[in-house]
Amino acid sequence: MIDLVPSLCALRSDSTLLDLEVVRGGDCRVDRSFPPAAFGAADGFLVADSVHLILDVQKDGNSYRLTGRIQSVLKVPCCRCLEGYLRPVNIECDLLYVPFNQNKGTGESEVEREDLSTSFYMDQVLDLGQLVDEQFHLSLPMKPLCGEDCRGLCQKCGVNLNQGSCACDRTWRDPRWSALEGLLKREKDDY
């Protein structure tokens, strides 16, 4: 009888490194949770909750296909008010890993669609921490918002308009007319 459930892959005990030597039979599964401290502060977000990783690893020659899911909660700064907010992430991934030296080519080549989901490994070790970090970066929106109704910061005094208001005049004036307004003001002062 064929076992349809892949065996569990062994990770190195104190890290996020996956030893690819254990994937000899063809398939294995990574089902592991990592504490937020396993992932340092990244540019643009902070891991706020444990990271749960479920991946099926399939070996095909020198390449490895990883399919599965990554779940966690990230603390992301809002692009309008700069306050951090919690953003749950549930990422489905389908990635191909090939040896680092396999893709050494000469000259220019066109990037194919399948190349966008291809990464590299070295020394029969795959760094799941780097995989998770890349997937978190790719899952973030270009301009993260804490809410659609976020009012942002006052452009003059910098107060967070979601938490209160200020006395600044926020009437927009076209800067192209500023020279003319200066002339009119000077003319008015002369009379």
Side-chain angles (χ1 to χ4, degrees):
M1 185 170 148
I2 299 173
D3 186 11
L4 297 177
V5 177
S7 62
L8 288 176
C9 291
L11 293 179
R12 295 184 179 175
S13 61
D14 61 343
S15 71
T16 60
L17 299 178
L18 172 64
D19 187 1
L20 295 174
E21 290 289 328
V22 299
V23 191
R24 294 176 200 254
D27 294 350
C28 75
R29 172 168 278 184
V30 174
D31 187 350
R32 178 122 183 237
S33 291
F34 299 100
F39 305 94
D43 183 30
F45 65 87
L46 179 70
V47 179
D49 198 5
S50 63
V51 176
H52 189 76
L53 182 66
I54 300 173
L55 293 173
D56 290 324
V57 182
Q58 299 168 330
K59 181 178 181 180
D60 183 19
N62 285 342
S63 63
Y64 295 86
R65 174 145 325 264
L66 280 69
T67 55
R69 179 175 306 283
I70 303 168
Q71 297 173 317
S72 187
V73 177
L74 303 179
K75 187 170 185 178
V76 182
C78 176
C79 70
R80 285 186 192 162
C81 67
L82 305 180
E83 293 290 324
Y85 71 98
L86 298 179
R87 179 180 176 82
V89 290
N90 187 10
I91 304 165
E92 288 188 34
C93 51
D94 183 2
L95 303 167
L96 178 66
Y97 278 82
V98 296
F100 180 69
N101 60 358
Q102 178 177 321
N103 199 26
K104 287 186 177 178
T106 58
E108 294 183 19
S109 63
E110 186 174 326
V111 176
E112 301 291 332
R113 184 161 188 76
E114 64 192 36
D115 293 337
L116 298 176
S117 63
T118 301
S119 293
F120 303 96
Y121 69 89
M122 289 176 51
D123 302 326
Q124 289 301 105
V125 174
L126 198 144
D127 187 354
L128 296 177
Q130 181 181 0
L131 178 150
V132 168
D133 187 56
E134 288 172 358
Q135 295 303 309
F136 283 163
H137 274 94
L138 292 171
S139 73
L140 292 176
M142 292 284 288
K143 296 192 181 250
L145 290 176
C146 61
E148 289 297 321
D149 58 344
C150 178
R151 296 177 58 207
L153 302 174
C154 174
Q155 293 179 4
K156 292 189 177 189
C157 69
V159 71
N160 186 342
L161 298 174
N162 296 319
Q163 299 173 352
S165 59
C166 62
C168 297
D169 179 20
R170 288 189 292 276
T171 307
W172 184 81
R173 290 183 177 85
D174 191 336
R176 296 174 293 182
W177 293 103
S178 63
L180 184 57
E181 286 177 356
L183 289 173
L184 291 174
K185 183 177 178 184
R186 195 170 16 172
E187 188 176 296
K188 192 185 285 186
D189 290 342
D190 287 345
Y191 286 111

